[in-house]
Amino acid sequence: MKVTVNDVEVDLAPGTSAIDAVFAAGYDVPYFCSQEYMSPVGACRMCLAKVGAPRKDRDGNWILDDETGERTIFAFPALLATCTSALSEGMVIDTLSEEVKHAQNGMIEFTLINHPLDCPVCDKGGACELQDRSYEYGSGRSRFEFTKRHQEKHHPLSDLITLDRERCIHCKRCVRYFEEVPGDEVLDFIDRGGHTYIGTVEHGLPSNFTGNITDICPVGALLDATSRFRGRNWEYDHTASVSLDDASGSAVVVDARTGRIERIKAGLHPEVNKSWIDDGIRFGHEYTADPERITRPLLRKDGELVEVPWPEAAAFVAERLKEFSGKDVGVCIRADATLEEGVAALALAEHLGTGQVDHAPRYGPTVMPPAQATLQELAVSDAIFVVGDVSEEVPAVDLRIKDALRGVTPPPLLPHGVPIADLRLKERMPRKREILCVAAPYRVDLMRHAGTVARYDVGGEETLFRGLIAIAEGGSADERVLGMTLAAAKAFVDRLRAAKKAVIVTGGFVLSSQAAADAAERFARAVGARQLVLGPMANAYGLEAIGVLPSHARYDYASMVAGGAKALLISNLDPAADPAVAERLAESRLLVVHDMFMTATARLAHVVLPAKSGFEKDGTVVNLEGRFMPVRAAPVDAGEAVDVTGLVRELGLAFGVRIEGRSVRSARRSLRKTLGTDLEELTGLGAFVALPRRRVAVSVAARPGVRGRALRVPTMVRQEYLLRNPHLLATLGGPALRLHPDDARTRALSHDDEVTVRVDGVPRRLRVYVTDAMPSGVVSVPALPDAPAGPADVDLDGIVVERRRLEVA
Ligand code: SF4
Ligand code: FES
């Protein structure tokens, strides 16, 4: 469809908005209320333009100008809001005339009537849409000689977000966002006219995705509490990278200033996270500036760990390693290490002559399903079956499922990028709940949006899938095993089978059992669905794909720490949190720990080497859909911390050899040979690269096969850093032991009591969280890198109350 914007003709698809035509033609028009991926509502009236269009007569012929013979353009009687106007053939849009400029000028003046203009002290200053638009389209003069409206300037919407009510221009982006994107209606306009303000019913914003409103607020009304008053926008270094918080590969922008991360904002990736991130990713960065961070190598001398230069620490390790034959040495890295770090770990293991190399956490089953779904496929799926708590495990997947429920396909990109006003999106759209079935052993948040829900027993994933396979094959199954009625199960299996783009999403609960994972794969085949498997960490997929795996099942991480390795090098893992393992590790002849903090394992080590956080390294990760994505280092002062490639470089220097993977470049040279792809050329959007699928071996020691009434559950917030993230800690109150009100009563526990309880033999300090989301008799504790999601053994009889909840009289 051809339209003309000022003097430029553009050809765009029918249904495109006029505002997008303006931008596609290379012109600009101011706007406040429109926002990518949200419904246009025409609230701010800022995007006004003069619009005209040709008309047809009754016979269906274009009305032509008598003199020129061209189609006559009939101007609309008033200026139109371009964000809510759809293009029509031959439309003519004028954004440059005096009439339009006058209107824009007037709207800016109206918008500023009650705005405090406190830009010099506003965190949004320098990155404020109102500031920019006032400069570009305003008159430059103020006629406000009266007292402006005064409202609350420091209203804590939650512990993470502060609202300045005076600055709000009532664009409604934040209110619409909650209803349209996560589907959590937790914010609304209160009062009328000039008194309107944004508010919640009660304190706090019960949603996993609250921080996105600080990105989309066009003014400084909604601010990230972790970065408030910490810097001006022009002082930040902005680094576009990928979050290593979970397996989604969500795009982020890391804003650092004077060597410290001040805030994380959502990056734009149209095929992964669009422009949204969860609160765990956004607010979970404060640990990187924790004063207890290890920034120099530590070597044990006379029983004490003392700071030494890198060459001394590396020389010590190299010298001591000579005492061991290769097979006695173990190397293990964490599953959020980059591919380049994986190459370095493999090369180090090869140099040492050991097959004891692994990444953890790692489940027995593969995270690479045979029929892999992508996040884009999930977003347009017509039948989705979820097993587990995806909203906590990989929250980006939760939002892509909600895209599918809206039933609007992702918009095609225009010359200027994502459409500013996608006219297919509406406020309060009906959701296609019937296409979603969610199954879990307890009530998970996504169930609110599902047409079918199933609550099966703890550890019942295998029997659930077996039951569903039986139904798919025309048989029947026990309703207790299914956790739903037989009729509901049959109806959903039929829906999956009839669907053209069915997707099955499974996470840690299924991965924690080989039999369950196999059954899930068989069921997917039976109904013709693709699979999305949520790996336990950011690069579980990539490390498995390049083979950071033991050469034999009895050489895996669990076996290494159980005594299989006499000398152990471990990166960012803390097996000694388990006292039984700590006892064994205390006997290790050589324990080298690469970490950011003095963990229980680091305290036992002979050498502790400072590690970089995920924000401080360059590299590549492969997300849960198999997409290779570039991780970029932000300019953060991490002392002498290195990633695993740096660690291998230092050890190589001490050995006097050049080990492959001694730098990111060297690791990429090696990966180019195995993958046939040059990762140096990877753009921010990433790319899919064909990968071999491996059968992963896992030892018996790694999976004790606990079956009981307790679960380690995935959490959006990284639990290992929670106590070092003060804002998230204030919001959550601490790692939670969740249990049903009846169980709390039986054990005389109250909400917010602090307790110590043994989880799989490991004492953990937790906060009691009483909720009827847990079935009676079932408790949950947060998963950790060394204790990933799955059935657990929680010793409730040995629970010790450390501190009772403070009762305010
Ligand atoms: S708080 Fe910000 S996003 Fe929300 S309505 Fe006000 S200006 Fe718009
Ligand atoms: S009316 Fe607000 S952007 Fe169009």
Side-chain angles (χ1 to χ4, degrees):
M1 171 176 289
K2 290 201 169 77
V3 298
T4 306
V5 181
N6 301 321
D7 54 350
V8 175
E9 190 178 76
V10 280
D11 195 353
L12 294 164
T16 307
S17 66
I19 196 171
D20 280 305
V22 173
F23 280 84
Y27 284 99
D28 182 50
V29 68
Y31 63 95
F32 293 130
C33 65
S34 285
Q35 173 65 32
E36 294 157 359
Y37 300 122
M38 279 166 43
S39 66
V41 289
C44 71
R45 317 310 291 174
M46 201 58 248
C47 63
L48 297 176
K50 191 170 176 180
V51 182
R55 271 192 223 144
K56 287 184 177 170
D57 61 20
R58 285 198 185 138
D59 301 328
N61 299 317
W62 292 109
I63 300 173
L64 303 178
D65 186 286
D66 291 342
E67 283 181 19
T68 63
E70 301 279 313
R71 291 176 194 170
T72 306
I73 302 299
F74 295 89
F76 285 87
L79 300 183
L80 288 192
T82 51
C83 65
T84 47
S85 306
L87 295 183
S88 60
E89 180 63 42
M91 191 178 250
V92 174
I93 304 166
D94 161 23
T95 63
L96 300 176
S97 63
E98 280 310 311
E99 187 185 353
V100 174
K101 279 186 188 157
H102 182 72
Q104 290 166 340
N105 194 293
M107 286 317 300
I108 289 280
E109 193 168 24
F110 270 126
T111 307
L112 290 176
I113 283 180
N114 275 319
H115 191 78
L117 290 174
D118 53 352
C119 313
V121 293
C122 176
D123 279 300
K124 202 84 169 198
C128 173
E129 293 175 44
L130 180 59
Q131 204 176 32
D132 291 348
R133 295 318 197 174
S134 299
Y135 180 74
E136 294 162 343
Y137 293 93
S139 72
R141 283 182 302 112
S142 174
R143 293 190 285 167
F144 304 130
E145 285 162 9
F146 47 86
T147 305
K148 294 192 175 193
R149 172 193 63 177
H150 284 295
Q151 286 200 334
E152 202 180 340
K153 288 195 72 68
H154 311 281
H155 178 76
L157 272 184
S158 71
D159 291 304
L160 302 169
I161 295 170
T162 308
L163 168 65
D164 183 320
R165 286 189 167 136
E166 281 188 353
R167 293 180 188 154
C168 174
I169 58 168
H170 304 152
C171 72
K172 212 185 174 192
R173 279 186 190 172
C174 55
V175 173
R176 278 149 54 216
Y177 159 81
F178 275 116
E179 189 273 317
E180 294 181 20
V181 180
D184 303 322
E185 295 187 57
V186 295
L187 205 60
D188 209 345
F189 278 150
I190 299 170
D191 230 324
R192 304 294 299 271
H195 302 288
T196 306
Y197 64 94
I198 299 299
T200 53
V201 175
E202 48 197 319
H203 178 75
L205 296 167
S207 169
N208 278 0
F209 305 95
T210 66
N212 293 317
I213 59 175
T214 65
D215 284 349
I216 62 175
C217 179
V219 294
L222 292 166
L223 294 171
D224 173 340
T226 65
S227 63
R228 199 161 164 254
F229 299 137
R230 293 209 51 93
R232 308 316 311 270
N233 283 292
W234 52 89
E235 296 174 327
Y236 291 129
D237 284 300
H238 309 290
T239 307
S241 187
V242 166
S243 167
L244 298 189
D245 254 36
D246 61 36
S248 65
S250 291
V252 290
V253 176
V254 183
D255 283 356
R257 176 177 167 272
T258 59
R260 178 191 152 106
I261 297 172
E262 296 295 2
R263 68 181 177 201
I264 307 289
K265 298 175 79 174
L268 173 68
H269 195 308
E271 294 177 10
V272 175
N273 59 306
K274 306 209 301 190
S275 51
W276 318 122
I277 53 174
D278 64 79
D279 290 351
I281 293 178
R282 182 181 301 270
F283 301 111
H285 60 83
E286 291 180 288
Y287 72 93
T288 56
D290 190 292
E292 289 181 7
R293 205 162 153 191
I294 302 166
T295 53
R296 294 197 65 200
L298 303 168
L299 180 61
R300 193 169 294 281
K301 291 183 178 176
D302 300 324
E304 296 290 322
L305 284 168
V306 293
E307 287 190 352
V308 294
W310 257 105
E312 186 180 341
F316 175 87
V317 176
E319 192 55 36
R320 288 292 313 277
L321 279 171
K322 286 183 189 159
E323 298 167 20
F324 301 90
S325 72
K327 66 177 177 39
D328 289 334
V329 185
V331 177
C332 192
I333 57 175
R334 199 163 68 175
D336 59 357
T338 61
L339 285 182
E340 291 79 356
E341 291 182 286
V343 169
L346 284 173
L348 177 64
E350 192 183 331
H351 173 76
L352 297 171
T354 179
Q356 296 204 64
V357 57
D358 206 349
H359 67 276
R362 177 172 71 78
Y363 294 101
T366 176
V367 293
M368 302 169 68
Q372 174 74 60
T374 64
L375 289 167
Q376 283 294 79
E377 285 167 349
L378 179 67
V380 297
S381 174
D382 48 356
I384 303 170
F385 182 44
V386 178
V387 181
D389 191 355
V390 37
S391 318
E392 291 289 336
E393 202 157 2
V394 185
V397 173
D398 166 295
L399 292 189
R400 299 317 305 268
I401 290 171
K402 286 167 185 167
D403 283 343
L405 300 187
R406 283 201 292 193
V408 177
T409 53
L413 297 186
L414 297 171
H416 55 286
V418 179
I420 296 161
D422 184 345
L423 294 169
R424 300 169 306 162
L425 299 173
K426 309 273 179 246
E427 278 191 285
R428 302 192 166 273
M429 289 184 82
R431 306 301 207 272
K432 299 196 291 178
R433 294 159 59 93
E434 65 281 4
I435 68 166
L436 176 64
C437 174
V438 179
Y442 53 93
R443 193 178 75 227
V444 299
D445 192 57
L446 194 58
M447 285 176 177
R448 286 190 293 130
H449 304 269
T452 310
V453 299
R455 289 186 32 185
Y456 58 85
D457 280 345
V458 171
E461 291 80 11
E462 182 199 348
T463 45
L464 167 69
F465 277 114
R466 280 171 177 275
L468 292 172
I469 292 168
I471 292 171
E473 290 170 348
S476 186
D478 187 338
E479 290 192 345
R480 279 170 309 175
V481 160
L482 298 170
M484 58 185 141
T485 63
L486 187 58
K490 278 186 170 164
F492 203 78
V493 168
D494 286 346
R495 179 178 287 279
L496 282 168
R497 222 179 352 211
K500 291 193 174 64
K501 301 171 216 151
V503 178
I504 295 176
V505 183
T506 53
F509 295 157
V510 173
L511 282 171
S512 61
S513 152
Q514 184 69 55
D518 289 345
E521 216 175 287
R522 280 205 306 281
F523 178 59
R525 250 196 322 271
V527 294
R530 302 185 85 79
Q531 277 185 278
L532 205 55
V533 176
L534 315 182
M537 269 197 173
N539 199 25
Y541 198 115
L543 295 174
E544 182 184 317
I546 65 164
V548 185
L549 297 166
S551 61
H552 189 281
R554 65 173 186 275
Y555 287 163
D556 74 356
Y557 171 57
S559 308
M560 283 181 216
V561 298
K566 296 189 175 66
L568 194 56
L569 279 82
I570 47 177
S571 177
N572 289 311
L573 291 159
D574 187 20
D578 180 344
V581 176
E583 237 172 75
R584 282 195 297 273
L585 290 181
E587 304 297 315
S588 290
R589 285 171 48 205
L590 178 63
L591 178 60
V592 181
V593 172
H594 176 233
D595 211 315
M596 281 183 281
F597 298 104
M598 211 26 107
T599 58
T601 313
R603 277 193 285 277
L604 298 173
H606 299 94
V607 183
V608 181
L609 303 170
K612 284 185 173 178
S613 76
F615 303 107
E616 295 151 12
K617 53 191 174 189
D618 287 304
T620 312
V621 292
V622 186
N623 78 347
L624 51 80
E625 52 179 353
R627 186 191 294 266
F628 284 60
M629 312 192 77
V631 179
R632 299 202 178 95
V636 177
D637 178 10
E640 296 174 22
V642 295
D643 64 0
V644 178
T645 65
L647 168 62
V648 167
R649 179 173 57 249
E650 296 293 340
L651 290 182
L653 287 172
F655 292 137
V657 291
R658 287 159 71 83
I659 301 177
E660 216 167 49
R662 61 192 171 276
S663 67
V664 171
R665 283 180 82 88
S666 141
R668 285 182 178 168
R669 273 198 298 276
S670 159
L671 285 166
R672 192 166 55 212
K673 283 183 222 149
T674 48
L675 301 172
T677 298
D678 189 353
L679 297 179
E680 295 280 349
E681 289 170 8
L682 211 56
T683 66
L685 292 182
F688 290 100
V689 178
L691 289 166
R693 189 166 182 251
R694 297 171 191 269
R695 196 75 195 166
V696 185
V698 69
S699 74
V700 176
R703 306 284 159 245
V706 179
R707 284 289 178 273
R709 303 290 290 159
L711 278 164
R712 290 184 304 266
V713 293
T715 54
M716 170 189 72
V717 170
R718 293 278 290 270
Q719 296 290 322
E720 67 274 31
Y721 303 132
L722 178 56
L723 300 182
R724 300 179 192 277
N725 281 324
H727 284 84
L728 279 178
L729 183 61
T731 306
L732 298 176
L737 170 76
R738 299 195 310 155
L739 76 177
H740 189 272
D742 292 347
D743 298 328
R745 248 189 314 276
T746 312
R747 296 185 181 274
L749 295 171
S750 306
H751 196 75
D752 278 345
D753 281 351
E754 277 183 34
V755 297
T756 297
V757 62
R758 295 183 89 81
V759 180
D760 303 316
V762 179
R764 287 179 64 178
R765 182 127 175 180
L766 301 166
R767 184 180 66 94
V768 172
Y769 190 93
V770 181
T771 168
D772 62 4
M774 298 307 295
S776 176
V778 177
V779 299
S780 79
V781 299
L784 284 167
D786 275 272
D793 181 11
V794 177
D795 176 18
L796 281 181
D797 294 331
I799 200 163
V800 176
V801 179
E802 305 285 354
R803 210 172 64 183
R804 287 279 176 201
R805 176 177 65 164
L806 272 182
E807 295 287 356
V808 181

